[in-house]
Amino acid sequence: MQPTAETSRRLARLSAHIHPPALEMKDPSTLSPSACRAKGGASGFKVAILGAAGGIGQPLALLMKMNPLVSVLHLYDVVNTPGVTADVSHMDTGAVVRGFLGQQQLENALTGMDLVIIPAGVPRKPGMTRDDLFKINAGIVRTLSEGIAKCCPHAIVNLISNPVNSTVPIAAEVFKKAGTYDPKRLLGVTTLDVVRANTFVAEVLGVDPREVNVPVVGGHAGVTILPLLSQVKPPCSFTPEEVNYLTDRIQNGGTEVVEAKAGAGSATLSMAFAAAKFADACLRGLRGDAGIVECSFVASQVTQLPFFATKVRLGRAGAEEIFPLGPLNEYERAGLEKAIKELALSIEKGVSFIRN
Ligand SMILES: NC(=O)C1=CN([C@@H]2O[C@H](COP(=O)(O)OP(=O)(O)OC[C@H]3O[C@@H](n4cnc5c(N)ncnc54)[C@H](O)[C@@H]3O)[C@@H](O)[C@H]2O)C=CC1
Ligand SMILES: O=C([O-])CC(=O)C(=O)O
């Protein structure tokens, strides 16, 4: 049976409703409320997330949209940003959200940013090490760092993409080449190691994890993740069995999630939580708040290595002060030696990716 003219008209109306005009999908920056009076940026900081449509990027976009210190939030990815942007932009919080899709919009995404958070890149599957991601993620981090050097050379950079032990040196080398390198502004995100350490230590002690602070130093992969259980606050002591259990669980927390997800990726929700916590600390530092201390993988003279994660004090200039390791016990000194050996190779691999 042929549809009547009226039925055809109704079907056309319905279909237009289901498939919104293609224009928005072609140019996601038109998703910004350009015709509205709200422009954002009057006060607060401008933050970009690169890799915003991914497993970490999406919940991180949600958490940064909730952060009252953020006035403008730019969401950049090579896929799916129109949808994520439309979704997050409906939250009735202060930040104005704009989406950017594909390499040709990278410069617009980055221009004017105060803080750039990078969770772009492939995650692990069971059986892989973080270093196995180097082949793909090294190139992604290089391209994004080149964009930062060109469009927002003074932004604070929070680098999440693995292997962090190599991607931070890669970004540093790109910035050096461009003549924009400021070691205080490039921070590898190791907050998830601290978040896990606080959680696991609190479980063992039977206390609230929010009351526990465990410094985790070194890097962000296997034995390079070195929890300093002798320096836990508030002060406490552990049996040798507890120390072995906790060190092993903290060092392999990422693998625990990768195996549980069984091929569907690595930590995303706890990572977004950790990244949002760290980004908030960076923004409070930028605002000039005093006494903001977090662990981060940064350019450092604490050991013989050019990069190392320790406690750093965050301020207007980024990582303004890098704290020494403090007193280590024999177990931790042995762990430090192992960490340094592996870290040296990972750092060198990142440096020579750009230099050679
Ligand atoms: N530092 C840390 O503690 C942690 C780091 N990670 C790392 O974070 C990275 C991302 O993990 P997931 O979000 O789970 O992965 P995912 O695959 O879910 O998301 C990654 C996103 O990056 C995007 N992307 C790929 N190439 C890009 C490019 N050139 N420019 C912009 N975006 C690009 C993808 O389209 C995707 O949306 C991985 O390398 C993972 O190993 C994960 C957990 C913890
Ligand atoms: O384990 C992974 O591949 C992701 C990661 O870095 C973490 O969860 O700590």
Side-chain angles (χ1 to χ4, degrees), residues 249-278:
R249 188 144 186 233
I250 294 161
Q251 289 184 333
N252 295 302
T255 306
E256 183 179 322
V257 178
V258 168
E259 282 169 3
K261 290 199 174 181
S266 56
T268 53
L269 303 173
S270 52
M271 182 59 234
F273 169 79
K277 202 171 181 181
F278 188 66

Short mmCIF file of all heavy atoms in Angstrom, two decimals, residues 249-278:
data_model
loop_
_atom_site.label_atom_id
_atom_site.label_comp_id
_atom_site.label_asym_id
_atom_site.label_seq_id
_atom_site.Cartn_x
_atom_site.Cartn_y
_atom_site.Cartn_z
N ARG A 249 50.35 -5.08 45.95
CA ARG A 249 49.02 -4.70 45.45
C ARG A 249 49.04 -3.30 44.84
O ARG A 249 48.41 -3.04 43.81
CB ARG A 249 47.99 -4.77 46.60
CG ARG A 249 46.59 -4.58 46.09
CD ARG A 249 45.55 -5.39 46.79
NE ARG A 249 44.28 -5.20 46.12
CZ ARG A 249 43.16 -4.84 46.72
NH1 ARG A 249 43.11 -4.70 48.03
NH2 ARG A 249 42.05 -4.67 46.00
N ILE A 250 49.80 -2.39 45.47
CA ILE A 250 49.89 -1.01 44.94
C ILE A 250 50.63 -1.03 43.58
O ILE A 250 50.21 -0.39 42.62
CB ILE A 250 50.59 -0.08 45.95
CG1 ILE A 250 49.71 0.06 47.21
CG2 ILE A 250 50.88 1.29 45.34
CD1 ILE A 250 50.44 0.57 48.44
N GLN A 251 51.72 -1.81 43.51
CA GLN A 251 52.49 -1.84 42.25
C GLN A 251 51.70 -2.49 41.12
O GLN A 251 51.91 -2.18 39.96
CB GLN A 251 53.81 -2.62 42.47
CG GLN A 251 54.79 -1.85 43.34
CD GLN A 251 56.12 -2.52 43.52
OE1 GLN A 251 56.22 -3.75 43.44
NE2 GLN A 251 57.15 -1.75 43.79
N ASN A 252 50.79 -3.39 41.46
CA ASN A 252 50.05 -4.12 40.43
C ASN A 252 48.57 -3.78 40.39
O ASN A 252 47.77 -4.51 39.79
CB ASN A 252 50.24 -5.63 40.64
CG ASN A 252 51.71 -6.00 40.42
OD1 ASN A 252 52.26 -5.75 39.35
ND2 ASN A 252 52.35 -6.52 41.45
N GLY A 253 48.21 -2.63 40.97
CA GLY A 253 46.81 -2.19 40.97
C GLY A 253 46.25 -2.04 39.56
O GLY A 253 45.12 -2.42 39.27
N GLY A 254 47.07 -1.48 38.66
CA GLY A 254 46.63 -1.30 37.27
C GLY A 254 46.35 -2.64 36.61
O GLY A 254 45.33 -2.81 35.93
N THR A 255 47.25 -3.60 36.84
CA THR A 255 47.08 -4.93 36.24
C THR A 255 45.85 -5.64 36.82
O THR A 255 45.14 -6.35 36.11
CB THR A 255 48.36 -5.77 36.49
OG1 THR A 255 49.47 -5.02 36.01
CG2 THR A 255 48.31 -7.10 35.78
N GLU A 256 45.59 -5.41 38.10
CA GLU A 256 44.40 -5.99 38.74
C GLU A 256 43.14 -5.55 37.97
O GLU A 256 42.25 -6.37 37.68
CB GLU A 256 44.35 -5.51 40.21
CG GLU A 256 43.21 -6.07 41.02
CD GLU A 256 43.25 -5.56 42.49
OE1 GLU A 256 44.34 -5.41 43.07
OE2 GLU A 256 42.16 -5.31 43.03
N VAL A 257 43.08 -4.28 37.60
CA VAL A 257 41.91 -3.76 36.88
C VAL A 257 41.90 -4.28 35.44
O VAL A 257 40.85 -4.71 34.92
CB VAL A 257 41.88 -2.20 36.90
CG1 VAL A 257 40.69 -1.68 36.11
CG2 VAL A 257 41.84 -1.70 38.33
N VAL A 258 43.07 -4.28 34.79
CA VAL A 258 43.15 -4.76 33.39
C VAL A 258 42.65 -6.21 33.32
O VAL A 258 41.87 -6.57 32.43
CB VAL A 258 44.60 -4.66 32.87
CG1 VAL A 258 44.78 -5.42 31.56
CG2 VAL A 258 45.00 -3.20 32.67
N GLU A 259 43.06 -7.03 34.28
CA GLU A 259 42.64 -8.44 34.26
C GLU A 259 41.15 -8.58 34.55
O GLU A 259 40.44 -9.35 33.90
CB GLU A 259 43.49 -9.27 35.21
CG GLU A 259 44.85 -9.57 34.58
CD GLU A 259 45.87 -10.15 35.53
OE1 GLU A 259 45.52 -10.40 36.71
OE2 GLU A 259 47.02 -10.35 35.09
N ALA A 260 40.66 -7.80 35.50
CA ALA A 260 39.22 -7.86 35.84
C ALA A 260 38.37 -7.41 34.66
O ALA A 260 37.29 -7.94 34.42
CB ALA A 260 38.93 -7.01 37.06
N LYS A 261 38.86 -6.44 33.89
CA LYS A 261 38.10 -5.95 32.73
C LYS A 261 38.22 -6.90 31.53
O LYS A 261 37.49 -6.74 30.54
CB LYS A 261 38.53 -4.52 32.35
CG LYS A 261 38.10 -3.48 33.39
CD LYS A 261 38.08 -2.07 32.86
CE LYS A 261 37.50 -1.11 33.90
NZ LYS A 261 37.45 0.29 33.45
N ALA A 262 39.17 -7.83 31.61
CA ALA A 262 39.28 -8.94 30.65
C ALA A 262 39.23 -8.52 29.19
O ALA A 262 38.48 -9.07 28.38
CB ALA A 262 38.19 -9.97 30.95
N GLY A 263 40.02 -7.51 28.82
CA GLY A 263 40.10 -7.12 27.41
C GLY A 263 39.32 -5.84 27.11
O GLY A 263 39.44 -5.28 26.02
N ALA A 264 38.52 -5.38 28.06
CA ALA A 264 37.70 -4.17 27.82
C ALA A 264 38.41 -2.90 28.28
O ALA A 264 37.76 -1.86 28.46
CB ALA A 264 36.35 -4.32 28.52
N GLY A 265 39.73 -2.96 28.47
CA GLY A 265 40.47 -1.73 28.81
C GLY A 265 41.08 -1.78 30.19
O GLY A 265 41.15 -2.82 30.83
N SER A 266 41.53 -0.60 30.65
CA SER A 266 42.18 -0.50 31.96
C SER A 266 41.38 0.47 32.83
O SER A 266 40.26 0.84 32.48
CB SER A 266 43.64 -0.08 31.79
OG SER A 266 43.75 1.13 31.07
N ALA A 267 41.96 0.87 33.95
CA ALA A 267 41.23 1.72 34.89
C ALA A 267 40.77 3.01 34.21
O ALA A 267 41.58 3.70 33.57
CB ALA A 267 42.14 2.06 36.07
N THR A 268 39.51 3.32 34.32
CA THR A 268 38.97 4.55 33.72
C THR A 268 38.29 5.41 34.78
O THR A 268 38.53 6.60 34.87
CB THR A 268 37.95 4.23 32.60
OG1 THR A 268 36.95 3.34 33.12
CG2 THR A 268 38.62 3.58 31.41
N LEU A 269 37.45 4.77 35.62
CA LEU A 269 36.66 5.56 36.58
C LEU A 269 37.54 6.04 37.73
O LEU A 269 37.52 7.23 38.07
CB LEU A 269 35.47 4.72 37.07
CG LEU A 269 34.58 4.22 35.93
CD1 LEU A 269 33.52 3.26 36.44
CD2 LEU A 269 33.93 5.39 35.20
N SER A 270 38.32 5.12 38.32
CA SER A 270 39.22 5.54 39.40
C SER A 270 40.28 6.50 38.85
O SER A 270 40.73 7.41 39.54
CB SER A 270 39.89 4.32 40.05
OG SER A 270 40.49 3.49 39.08
N MET A 271 40.66 6.30 37.57
CA MET A 271 41.65 7.20 36.96
C MET A 271 41.06 8.59 36.75
O MET A 271 41.73 9.60 36.99
CB MET A 271 42.15 6.63 35.64
CG MET A 271 43.21 7.49 34.98
SD MET A 271 44.66 7.72 36.02
CE MET A 271 44.80 9.50 36.08
N ALA A 272 39.81 8.64 36.29
CA ALA A 272 39.17 9.96 36.10
C ALA A 272 39.07 10.67 37.45
O ALA A 272 39.33 11.87 37.56
CB ALA A 272 37.78 9.79 35.49
N PHE A 273 38.73 9.90 38.50
CA PHE A 273 38.66 10.48 39.86
C PHE A 273 40.03 11.04 40.24
O PHE A 273 40.14 12.18 40.72
CB PHE A 273 38.22 9.37 40.84
CG PHE A 273 38.35 9.74 42.28
CD1 PHE A 273 37.42 10.54 42.91
CD2 PHE A 273 39.44 9.29 43.03
CE1 PHE A 273 37.54 10.88 44.25
CE2 PHE A 273 39.58 9.63 44.37
CZ PHE A 273 38.63 10.43 44.97
N ALA A 274 41.08 10.22 40.02
CA ALA A 274 42.44 10.64 40.39
C ALA A 274 42.87 11.86 39.57
O ALA A 274 43.47 12.81 40.11
CB ALA A 274 43.41 9.48 40.19
N ALA A 275 42.57 11.84 38.27
CA ALA A 275 42.98 12.95 37.39
C ALA A 275 42.27 14.23 37.79
O ALA A 275 42.86 15.32 37.77
CB ALA A 275 42.67 12.61 35.93
N ALA A 276 40.99 14.11 38.15
CA ALA A 276 40.22 15.30 38.55
C ALA A 276 40.76 15.87 39.87
O ALA A 276 40.83 17.08 40.05
CB ALA A 276 38.75 14.95 38.69
N LYS A 277 41.17 14.97 40.76
CA LYS A 277 41.75 15.38 42.04
C LYS A 277 43.07 16.15 41.79
O LYS A 277 43.31 17.21 42.36
CB LYS A 277 42.04 14.10 42.84
CG LYS A 277 42.14 14.25 44.30
CD LYS A 277 42.20 12.87 44.97
CE LYS A 277 42.28 13.04 46.47
NZ LYS A 277 42.36 11.77 47.19
N PHE A 278 43.89 15.58 40.90
CA PHE A 278 45.19 16.21 40.62
C PHE A 278 44.99 17.54 39.88
O PHE A 278 45.66 18.54 40.19
CB PHE A 278 46.07 15.26 39.80
CG PHE A 278 47.47 15.76 39.63
CD1 PHE A 278 48.32 15.89 40.72
CD2 PHE A 278 47.95 16.14 38.38
CE1 PHE A 278 49.61 16.38 40.59
CE2 PHE A 278 49.24 16.63 38.22
CZ PHE A 278 50.08 16.75 39.33
#
